[in-house]
Amino acid sequence: ATVSENAAGGCCLGNQYLKVEIDACGQLTSLILKKTGRDALPAGASANRLVIFDDVPLFWDAWDVMPYHLETRQVLDGVSDLHVVETGPLRVSVEFKLQITADSHLLQTISLACNEEFVRFHTQVEWHENRRFLKVEFPVDVNAMEAVYESQFGHARRPTHSNTSWDVAKFEVCGHKWCDYSEYDFGVAVLSDCKYGYSAKDKIIRL
């Protein structure tokens, strides 16, 4: 695995499978599968985009998530000190700190191993917020009517559009370890070992 820095403050990670471009804000601007040359991200889009939402449901704070929270979306851009922490050859990594609010921040390490076909994100969050959501977004250049979410005994399919009131109500889905957004011969999955609220709408996977 290799890593190189660019003049704009970003980095490029690579191995035999993937080429990953990361900007100075810690967001992925390109994720290319080398064997096909296809970029998994839409042109001009950024993945690993951290966003915050208000969480003020009508009832039952601990349980309810209301669709109107999506109207309060704010992109977080207070990244500082993006730098390389591992230079290979077995694994390359970059790290950055993001100030979420005056009281909360996170530290994230983005890694690519020499023999893996996926990018790892290790995120430590110091959270001192009330009634707010922190989510991460991954736009994908994939056409699919449904996304697939792992469940305890298999998987569940949910729409990626809002054509009916039933579709609108499925704005967030519980899943165990992954969400897959795929077409016939290409797709993108987001895997997690600790968070279980997913959404996949309009070519954006959120966790």
PDB file of all heavy atoms in Angstrom, residues 8 11 52 59 116 158 172 198:
ATOM      1  N   ALA A   8      -2.515  20.565  -2.201  1.00  0.00           N
ATOM      2  CA  ALA A   8      -3.745  21.129  -1.642  1.00  0.00           C
ATOM      3  C   ALA A   8      -3.996  20.689  -0.207  1.00  0.00           C
ATOM      4  O   ALA A   8      -5.023  21.052   0.385  1.00  0.00           O
ATOM      5  CB  ALA A   8      -4.933  20.754  -2.516  1.00  0.00           C
ATOM      6  N   CYS A  11      -4.462  13.803   0.392  1.00  0.00           N
ATOM      7  CA  CYS A  11      -3.624  12.606   0.252  1.00  0.00           C
ATOM      8  C   CYS A  11      -4.249  11.651  -0.769  1.00  0.00           C
ATOM      9  O   CYS A  11      -5.443  11.711  -1.056  1.00  0.00           O
ATOM     10  CB  CYS A  11      -3.491  11.873   1.584  1.00  0.00           C
ATOM     11  SG  CYS A  11      -2.691  12.802   2.889  1.00  0.00           S
ATOM     12  N   ILE A  52     -24.452  17.097  10.966  1.00  0.00           N
ATOM     13  CA  ILE A  52     -25.152  17.088  12.250  1.00  0.00           C
ATOM     14  C   ILE A  52     -26.593  17.526  12.024  1.00  0.00           C
ATOM     15  O   ILE A  52     -26.876  18.363  11.156  1.00  0.00           O
ATOM     16  CB  ILE A  52     -24.416  17.991  13.270  1.00  0.00           C
ATOM     17  CG1 ILE A  52     -24.890  17.710  14.688  1.00  0.00           C
ATOM     18  CG2 ILE A  52     -24.531  19.453  12.907  1.00  0.00           C
ATOM     19  CD1 ILE A  52     -24.007  18.327  15.761  1.00  0.00           C
ATOM     20  N   PHE A  59     -42.487  12.843  20.627  1.00  0.00           N
ATOM     21  CA  PHE A  59     -42.620  12.025  21.826  1.00  0.00           C
ATOM     22  C   PHE A  59     -41.389  11.119  21.954  1.00  0.00           C
ATOM     23  O   PHE A  59     -40.703  10.842  20.979  1.00  0.00           O
ATOM     24  CB  PHE A  59     -43.876  11.137  21.758  1.00  0.00           C
ATOM     25  CG  PHE A  59     -45.145  11.895  21.462  1.00  0.00           C
ATOM     26  CD1 PHE A  59     -45.674  11.882  20.184  1.00  0.00           C
ATOM     27  CD2 PHE A  59     -45.795  12.615  22.450  1.00  0.00           C
ATOM     28  CE1 PHE A  59     -46.838  12.571  19.892  1.00  0.00           C
ATOM     29  CE2 PHE A  59     -46.957  13.304  22.171  1.00  0.00           C
ATOM     30  CZ  PHE A  59     -47.486  13.292  20.892  1.00  0.00           C
ATOM     31  N   GLU A 116      -6.564  -5.515   1.102  1.00  0.00           N
ATOM     32  CA  GLU A 116      -7.989  -5.372   1.341  1.00  0.00           C
ATOM     33  C   GLU A 116      -8.645  -4.498   0.273  1.00  0.00           C
ATOM     34  O   GLU A 116      -8.065  -3.506  -0.168  1.00  0.00           O
ATOM     35  CB  GLU A 116      -8.242  -4.766   2.728  1.00  0.00           C
ATOM     36  CG  GLU A 116      -7.828  -5.696   3.857  1.00  0.00           C
ATOM     37  CD  GLU A 116      -8.035  -5.096   5.231  1.00  0.00           C
ATOM     38  OE1 GLU A 116      -8.219  -3.862   5.333  1.00  0.00           O
ATOM     39  OE2 GLU A 116      -7.996  -5.859   6.213  1.00  0.00           O
ATOM     40  N   ARG A 158     -35.114  -2.130   1.334  1.00  0.00           N
ATOM     41  CA  ARG A 158     -35.899  -0.928   1.507  1.00  0.00           C
ATOM     42  C   ARG A 158     -35.674  -0.016   0.296  1.00  0.00           C
ATOM     43  O   ARG A 158     -34.587  -0.018  -0.294  1.00  0.00           O
ATOM     44  CB  ARG A 158     -35.507  -0.194   2.790  1.00  0.00           C
ATOM     45  CG  ARG A 158     -35.808  -0.975   4.070  1.00  0.00           C
ATOM     46  CD  ARG A 158     -37.307  -1.068   4.316  1.00  0.00           C
ATOM     47  NE  ARG A 158     -37.630  -1.766   5.558  1.00  0.00           N
ATOM     48  CZ  ARG A 158     -37.875  -3.059   5.659  1.00  0.00           C
ATOM     49  NH1 ARG A 158     -37.820  -3.827   4.571  1.00  0.00           N
ATOM     50  NH2 ARG A 158     -38.165  -3.600   6.820  1.00  0.00           N
ATOM     51  N   GLU A 172     -35.273   5.981   7.619  1.00  0.00           N
ATOM     52  CA  GLU A 172     -34.163   5.396   8.368  1.00  0.00           C
ATOM     53  C   GLU A 172     -34.469   3.939   8.642  1.00  0.00           C
ATOM     54  O   GLU A 172     -35.621   3.587   8.914  1.00  0.00           O
ATOM     55  CB  GLU A 172     -33.909   6.163   9.662  1.00  0.00           C
ATOM     56  CG  GLU A 172     -32.637   5.725  10.366  1.00  0.00           C
ATOM     57  CD  GLU A 172     -32.099   6.766  11.337  1.00  0.00           C
ATOM     58  OE1 GLU A 172     -31.532   7.772  10.869  1.00  0.00           O
ATOM     59  OE2 GLU A 172     -32.252   6.568  12.547  1.00  0.00           O
ATOM     60  N   TYR A 198     -29.256   3.219   9.685  1.00  0.00           N
ATOM     61  CA  TYR A 198     -28.803   3.500   8.327  1.00  0.00           C
ATOM     62  C   TYR A 198     -29.904   4.214   7.547  1.00  0.00           C
ATOM     63  O   TYR A 198     -31.084   4.142   7.892  1.00  0.00           O
ATOM     64  CB  TYR A 198     -28.492   2.206   7.572  1.00  0.00           C
ATOM     65  CG  TYR A 198     -27.380   1.360   8.115  1.00  0.00           C
ATOM     66  CD1 TYR A 198     -27.628   0.436   9.138  1.00  0.00           C
ATOM     67  CD2 TYR A 198     -26.092   1.445   7.589  1.00  0.00           C
ATOM     68  CE1 TYR A 198     -26.604  -0.365   9.621  1.00  0.00           C
ATOM     69  CE2 TYR A 198     -25.069   0.638   8.073  1.00  0.00           C
ATOM     70  CZ  TYR A 198     -25.332  -0.258   9.087  1.00  0.00           C
ATOM     71  OH  TYR A 198     -24.336  -1.063   9.561  1.00  0.00           O
TER      72      TYR A 198
END
